[in-house]
Amino acid sequence: MRRIESRLNTHSEEFQKYRAHNRKLVSGFQQKQEEARFKRPQRDIDRLQKQNKMMPRERLELLLDPGTPFLEFSSLAGSMAYDGSAPSASCITGIGIVGGREVVINASDSSVKGGAWYPLSVKKIIRALDIAIENHLPVIHMCDSAGGFLPLQSELFGDKYMAGRIFRNQTQLSKMGCKQLSLVFGNCTAGGAYIPALSDYSVIVEGTGAVFLGGPPLVKAATGEEVSVDELGGARMHTSVSGTCDYFAKNEREAIAIGREIVAQWEQKPKTQIQRETPEDPWYDPEELYGIIPDDIRKPFDVREVIARLVDGSRFSEYQPDYGETMICGFANIWGYKVGILGNNGVLFNDSSLKAAHFMELCNQNKTPLVFLQNITGFMVGKEYEQRGITKDGAKMIMVQACSEVPKFTIMTNGSFGAGNYGMCGRAFDARTLFSWPNSQISVMGSDQAANTLVTIKLAQLKRQGIEPDEKELAEIRNEVLGNFENQTSAYYTSSEIWDDGIIDPVDTRNALGISISASLNAPIGDARYGVLRL
């Protein structure tokens, strides 16, 4: 493959301006992430110390193989919900290495409301288990939860993708042969009791670990029986009487050591083989990404400059370089793995949509994973383009993308608006992982477009009523729409609601993709079968 010839002037005023802007964005993101991970009221820290419990991330560090990476999901989940009372949605999830094996980790954060599940906690756990199912990965549950947050029970219990889906996903993993281990550090109450009960292996800590459908207060209220926590669901009882748990541990360190021993016995199945070469660092410095991404979502940039700072040796074999030029397609390697990359260089026209569809077919034919770099305003609109079949051609792109069997990975590099989000493998289309950059935005249309559209509609309504438009009223409508869009299109809102798998520093994109691709190869790659393409 030929190396991309970068045309970036790193000494230009524009580059320096963009770099300063994006470094500030990244610094703000890193501060928010640090607070979500570690900032806790002293009373909660003292409570865990009094119970002889470690902080959740201390447990995680002991569990993971030393010196190995941990790809955390949704570190800012819940950051714009619940008045900030549930940082990281009160749990930690991600992909890590334990005993040389790639595993999904689901860890309760008992420093937040005793690890209680908020609605977004449930959503985050389900997403982690979905990732395990899609990639055929084993799961380690680090249990220490007070159960569902009762004031919000109506938002986390009854529906298909609420708490019951956690246990449904556990059963599907077991059916698939994907092993699960529960390390019970604290309470597993009510529905939460089924996490260790549905796991293949479980270790429970003396004195603090407990598993029961109803705690002592509920038992007394329901039956009149008075019973202690240890008698009802403690470590000795469950490992010697009920058989609900397998291994007794005197403390948390011993529980983690036993857990690592268990994982070391698990078979390691061969991964799916795809084309791979010796990994090579990008020729161009990834930190230059800060100077590529503009300081305004409406300003364009060449996605080739981004690709050059993500892929091995900055080498890229571009497909149909002179056709459909607003869609950049081509082959490259990331950490040695061959991938097909699709990146936006403008709005999607008929030719760029067809080019993308054909390229994805080639990747499926060749078992080559797909990477989508989203910066898209949508498909082109207007009389001329509708007559040429833009809706039909856009549907072809969506059909091929949605029916692809190769693993797909998406990075929100800038804007993601309208149906372009669908064609470029947005959240609804089963990317194995989807990460956002701090500058990115997502919505049904751009904020200016939305504001102008709603003002036009309001203007027509007033005229139909025979009312002369009030310019002040129209300006207020426009400003209100713009304010809402700025809040609800931001990467922070996206990540708070778990519309992505987390915000990442652009410089970390290559590593996040490398871990994601490696993990995806634990699952087989089938042959793509497409639906009806309207020709």
Side-chain angles (χ1 to χ4, degrees):
M1 297 182 190
R2 287 175 292 179
R3 181 174 294 132
I4 293 174
E5 292 186 15
S6 176
R7 298 181 180 180
L8 188 67
N9 180 1
T10 58
H11 300 291
S12 70
E13 182 179 343
E14 181 180 73
F15 177 89
Q16 300 299 331
K17 179 184 175 185
Y18 290 174
R19 183 172 64 176
H21 173 79
N22 285 300
R23 280 183 169 172
K24 184 177 180 181
L25 283 181
V26 169
S27 177
F29 155 63
Q30 290 173 338
Q31 182 177 346
K32 287 178 182 290
Q33 183 170 248
E34 186 77 3
E35 290 176 356
R37 287 173 171 173
F38 300 107
K39 187 177 180 180
R40 299 291 183 271
Q42 188 60 44
R43 66 177 183 275
D44 291 320
I45 297 172
D46 294 341
R47 170 175 53 81
L48 294 182
Q49 289 178 343
K50 187 176 180 180
Q51 295 171 339
N52 294 318
K53 290 182 177 181
M54 288 186 276
M55 294 294 286
R57 292 184 184 273
E58 293 176 320
R59 295 168 178 163
L60 183 62
E61 187 176 351
L62 284 175
L63 178 69
L64 297 171
D65 290 358
T68 59
F70 178 63
L71 181 61
E72 184 171 355
F73 300 136
S74 302
S75 62
L76 294 183
S79 61
M80 295 179 68
Y82 319 125
D83 296 322
S85 63
S88 293
S90 75
C91 61
I92 305 164
T93 63
I95 295 175
I97 310 294
V98 179
R101 293 151 177 83
E102 290 166 324
V103 300
V104 167
I105 294 172
N106 163 37
S108 305
D109 188 345
S110 51
S111 69
V112 180
K113 300 288 186 181
W117 290 351
Y118 286 72
L120 285 172
S121 314
V122 170
K123 186 175 182 179
K124 183 173 175 178
I125 296 167
I126 291 170
R127 173 57 184 156
L129 297 181
D130 281 342
I131 288 171
I133 290 171
E134 292 163 357
N135 297 289
H136 291 206
L137 293 172
V139 180
I140 299 176
H141 304 275
M142 304 177 77
C143 307
D144 190 357
S145 173
F149 185 63
L150 291 180
L152 298 177
Q153 65 83 25
S154 65
E155 299 176 43
L156 56 80
F157 179 68
D159 207 353
K160 180 176 181 179
Y161 290 100
M162 292 183 180
R165 193 75 176 185
I166 296 172
F167 315 124
R168 177 267 181 193
N169 278 3
Q170 284 192 267
T171 66
Q172 298 307 298
L173 283 163
S174 183
K175 183 171 73 172
M176 293 165 59
C178 297
K179 298 171 181 62
Q180 295 176 79
L181 162 67
S182 282
L183 303 176
V184 182
F185 299 112
N187 286 344
C188 293
T189 308
Y194 288 109
I195 287 186
L198 288 168
S199 294
D200 303 280
Y201 305 84
S202 58
V203 183
I204 185 168
V205 178
E206 180 183 25
T208 56
V211 177
F212 34 58
L213 295 179
L218 180 59
V219 169
K220 183 175 182 180
T223 70
E225 180 184 13
E226 293 193 12
V227 61
S228 70
V229 169
D230 284 340
E231 291 172 324
L232 187 63
R236 286 291 180 195
M237 192 281 288
H238 276 315
T239 55
S240 63
V241 178
S242 76
T244 299
C245 297
D246 303 318
Y247 298 91
F248 175 94
K250 293 179 180 179
N251 53 55
E252 294 191 358
R253 289 180 177 272
E254 184 178 43
I256 293 170
I258 294 171
R260 286 182 53 82
E261 285 182 17
I262 292 168
V263 174
Q265 312 311 312
W266 293 351
E267 63 178 329
Q268 288 184 287
K269 297 178 181 179
K271 287 189 174 187
T272 296
Q273 296 299 307
I274 63 172
Q275 291 189 52
R276 192 179 185 196
E277 299 177 5
T278 303
E280 182 181 358
D281 289 338
W283 177 262
Y284 301 104
D285 187 352
E287 287 209 359
E288 291 174 354
L289 289 167
Y290 297 144
I292 295 170
I293 307 303
D295 56 0
D296 187 325
I297 200 82
R298 294 166 293 188
K299 293 181 182 179
F301 61 90
D302 187 352
V303 72
R304 296 180 187 88
E305 298 288 0
V306 172
I307 294 169
R309 287 150 183 89
L310 298 181
V311 302
D312 292 10
S314 302
R315 295 186 176 88
F316 184 58
S317 178
E318 188 169 346
Y319 174 72
Q320 289 190 324
D322 300 319
Y323 177 73
E325 295 180 4
T326 59
M327 170 60 73
I328 305 303
C329 302
F331 297 102
N333 290 76
I334 295 177
W335 280 103
Y337 297 109
K338 184 179 180 182
V339 296
I341 297 177
L342 296 93
N344 302 119
N345 256 7
V347 67
L348 288 165
F349 293 96
N350 299 73
D351 54 0
S352 46
S353 302
L354 294 172
K355 171 181 173 178
H358 192 186
F359 179 70
M360 286 186 283
E361 288 181 316
L362 297 178
C363 289
N364 275 278
Q365 181 189 59
N366 204 39
K367 308 295 186 191
T368 302
L370 292 165
V371 173
F372 297 85
L373 302 176
Q374 278 212 24
N375 177 30
I376 182 63
T377 56
F379 293 93
M380 190 61 190
V381 298
K383 177 181 176 180
E384 174 189 352
Y385 299 99
E386 291 294 354
Q387 290 179 346
R388 288 166 57 183
I390 185 62
T391 302
K392 183 173 63 174
D393 291 339
K396 293 172 188 172
M397 179 180 174
I398 292 171
M399 177 72 77
V400 174
Q401 184 269 112
C403 294
S404 293
E405 285 291 326
V406 295
K408 300 178 293 187
F409 310 91
T410 303
I411 305 294
M412 300 294 190
T413 65
N414 204 41
S416 177
F417 303 113
N421 170 275
Y422 304 157
M424 290 295 291
C425 196
R427 190 58 152 174
F429 291 88
D430 301 320
R432 300 294 180 90
T433 56
L434 186 155
F435 293 105
S436 300
W437 287 357
N439 57 291
S440 66
Q441 296 180 18
I442 179 172
S443 67
V444 69
M445 63 178 69
S447 56
D448 285 331
Q449 292 171 299
N452 292 335
T453 300
L454 291 177
V455 167
T456 301
I457 293 172
K458 184 64 175 179
L459 190 60
Q461 288 175 342
L462 292 172
K463 286 184 176 180
R464 283 197 299 270
Q465 297 168 11
I467 301 173
E468 190 64 29
D470 184 334
E471 291 297 330
K472 182 180 179 181
E473 182 181 358
L474 293 176
E476 288 176 353
I477 293 171
R478 191 176 194 281
N479 290 335
E480 182 180 356
V481 172
L482 284 173
N484 288 336
F485 264 67
E486 288 176 4
N487 179 54
Q488 295 182 356
T489 64
S490 73
Y492 292 117
Y493 186 85
T494 295
S495 226
S496 177
E497 293 296 311
I498 317 182
W499 295 356
D500 59 19
D501 293 314
I503 300 174
I504 58 172
D505 183 338
V507 172
D508 293 333
T509 304
R510 172 179 162 81
N511 289 339
L513 286 171
I515 295 170
S516 299
I517 295 166
S518 176
S520 76
L521 299 178
N522 287 280
I525 298 176
D527 296 321
R529 296 176 60 191
Y530 306 111
V532 175
L533 296 171
R534 187 176 293 276
L535 302 175

